[in-house]
């Protein structure tokens, strides 16, 4: 993966940027930012540079959604989520959403529509999430990566909203997408 703190991500105040860690899916850069006021000292920050990602809200019909249970190693828990994934080099957000939907849920969509973009952790990460809603679903079978442990459950939209209210759904991208759709996405 080729990542850099490129011109599109670089703050105007950037004085220097140095890679201090390169991982499989991200890199960490130590950046020095110029002082914002005269006489103030420069500021050093660490930035996690990541590829962008997508999250998909699969709608079986207007009242029924497809959710997944996904094991997340960093917190060692199975979490309720919407399907999501990282964009490959040169891949559009739309193509990534269509690919990840099939891989994780086993459903192909006849209509994938963009909902909203958001920044999940702008205090330290460059990641941008692209949220989509998928309709006209046809089950074709999951195509999981060998290291993924994902189960699929079809449920009512009302149940998913109740799971948000009672904190059963704790994944930020899922919370954001469900709440955005419930508030604005049906228009």
């Amino acid at each position: 993966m080729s990542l850099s703190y490129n011109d599109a991500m670089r703050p105007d105040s950037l004085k220097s940027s140095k890679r201090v860690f390169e991982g499989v899916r991200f890199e960490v850069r130590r950046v020095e930012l110029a002082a914002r006021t005269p006489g103030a000292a420069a500021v050093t920050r660490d930035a996690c540079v990541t590829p962008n990602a997508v999250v998909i809200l699969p709608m079986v019909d207007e009242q029924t959604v497809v959710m997944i249970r996904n094991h997340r190693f960093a917190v060692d828990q199975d979490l309720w989520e919407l399907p999501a994934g990282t964009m490959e080099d040169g891949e559009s957000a739309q193509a990534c959403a269509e690919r990840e939907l099939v891989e994780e849920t086993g459903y192909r969509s006849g209509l994938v529509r963009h909902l909203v973009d958001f920044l999940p952790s702008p205090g330290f990460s460059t990641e941008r999430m692209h949220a989509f809603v998928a309709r006209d679903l046809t089950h074709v079978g999951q195509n999981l990566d060998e290291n993924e442990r994902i189960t699929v459950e079809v449920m009512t939209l009302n149940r998913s909203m109740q799971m948000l209210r009672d904190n059963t759904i704790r994944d930020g991208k899922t919370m954001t997408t469900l709440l955005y759709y419930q508030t604005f996405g049906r228009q």
Side-chain angles (χ1 to χ4, degrees), residues 166-186:
D166 67 21
N167 203 32
T168 301
I169 295 175
R170 295 179 297 149
D171 172 63
K173 68 186 174 304
T174 299
M175 296 169 82
T176 300
T177 303
L178 284 170
L179 290 170
Y180 184 89
Y181 179 80
Q182 188 74 354
T183 306
F184 306 112
R186 296 175 186 236

Side-chain angles (χ1 to χ4, degrees), residues 156-167:
T156 65
L157 183 59
N158 285 342
R159 178 173 174 218
S160 70
M161 297 309 290
Q162 181 60 46
M163 292 167 70
L164 276 173
R165 277 189 290 279
D166 67 21
N167 203 32

Side-chain angles (χ1 to χ4, degrees), residues 54-59 66 81-85 93-94 96-102 104-105 109 112 115 129-135 137 173-174 177:
V54 301
V55 56
I56 309 101
L57 173 57
M59 300 293 299
V66 180
E81 300 181 6
L82 291 172
Q94 177 92 19
C96 181
E98 292 169 1
R99 174 179 57 78
E100 289 290 346
L101 178 64
V102 172
E104 293 191 355
T105 68
S109 175
V112 176
L115 285 175
M129 294 284 305
H130 304 274
F132 292 86
V133 62
R135 300 180 189 283
L137 303 179
K173 68 186 174 304
T174 299
T177 303

